[in-house]
Amino acid sequence: DIIGINESEEVLTRNGGKVFLPTGNTTPLVTWFKKEGDGLTVDEEMTARQARLLKQMGAASVLVAGATSQSHLMSTALRQKTIEVQTRTAHENGLVALVNITAPVTATGPDPDAVEREMIQNAVIALDHGADFLVVAPLLYLPGLDDAAGQRRFEKFLDRLYAAVPEIPVAL
């Protein structure tokens, strides 16, 4: 996770490593759907088209599975498919992929353990498909973050996340 930024866009990580933040325009992706059987799936062709257009328009990076993509309203399976398709497509089109791995409490019920397990699964999917950064919005799944117990829980989650995907930086 990121702990500090200096003037040169260089970011210091928890373990003392350094990464560079993307510069230029970052655009949130919308999710394109198509009907598949009795449900919906991510429309890979439209997603690729969107990524190509954004690149042509000068975007340097994209936010995958953020609020604009409506990922917080999706089932776990559809959210993970969105992460897979949008991340892979961004990577294939030369865009830096900042991937939101946050799973809302409503997706798995009130159990923060289940939410954290999904977030780690989301991180592995993102890494497998070319993510450059992971994004976590802790207050969406852990509203008690302002107390000491909530902060300790979140720190332990970050430790588990880092153990699962140590090669990718996490932005909060």
Side-chain angles (χ1 to χ4, degrees):
D1 58 307
I2 295 172
I3 60 168
I5 301 174
N6 66 28
E7 299 81 28
S8 67
E9 303 296 330
E10 185 178 274
V11 177
L12 306 177
T13 64
R14 266 174 103 185
N15 64 357
K18 295 179 183 179
V19 295
F20 289 89
L21 293 175
T23 58
N25 294 328
T26 299
T27 304
L29 294 175
V30 298
T31 305
W32 296 92
F33 297 106
K34 67 179 181 180
K35 190 142 176 76
E36 182 176 86
D38 291 338
L40 296 174
T41 191
V42 179
D43 188 326
E44 296 191 36
E45 183 180 320
M46 288 299 293
T47 302
R49 189 174 182 188
Q50 175 183 222
R52 284 191 305 273
L53 286 171
L54 289 172
K55 183 69 175 177
Q56 289 170 3
M57 294 169 63
S61 56
V62 292
L63 176 62
V64 169
T68 301
S69 80
Q70 308 259 342
S71 68
H72 59 289
L73 301 174
M74 297 176 189
S75 67
T76 297
L78 191 54
R79 183 173 26 266
Q80 290 178 342
K81 183 68 173 178
T82 299
I83 290 170
E84 172 192 327
V85 171
Q86 289 184 346
T87 303
R88 183 182 68 242
T89 302
H91 182 72
E92 290 170 350
N93 284 278
L95 294 162
V96 174
L98 296 95
V99 182
N100 177 30
I101 61 167
T102 308
V105 171
T106 56
T108 55
D111 179 9
D113 293 329
V115 172
E116 290 175 355
R117 282 191 301 273
E118 181 190 329
M119 289 169 61
I120 289 172
Q121 291 171 352
N122 294 348
V124 170
I125 291 166
L127 178 65
D128 288 348
H129 291 89
D132 298 289
F133 293 86
L134 300 177
V135 177
V136 176
L139 292 177
L140 289 180
Y141 87 94
L142 193 61
L145 194 59
D146 58 344
D147 65 33
Q151 289 174 9
R152 281 192 304 275
R153 180 184 183 95
F154 187 60
E155 288 172 6
K156 288 179 183 178
F157 165 71
L158 289 175
D159 289 340
R160 290 194 317 277
L161 179 61
Y162 182 72
V165 289
E167 54 273 89
I168 189 165
V170 178
L172 306 175

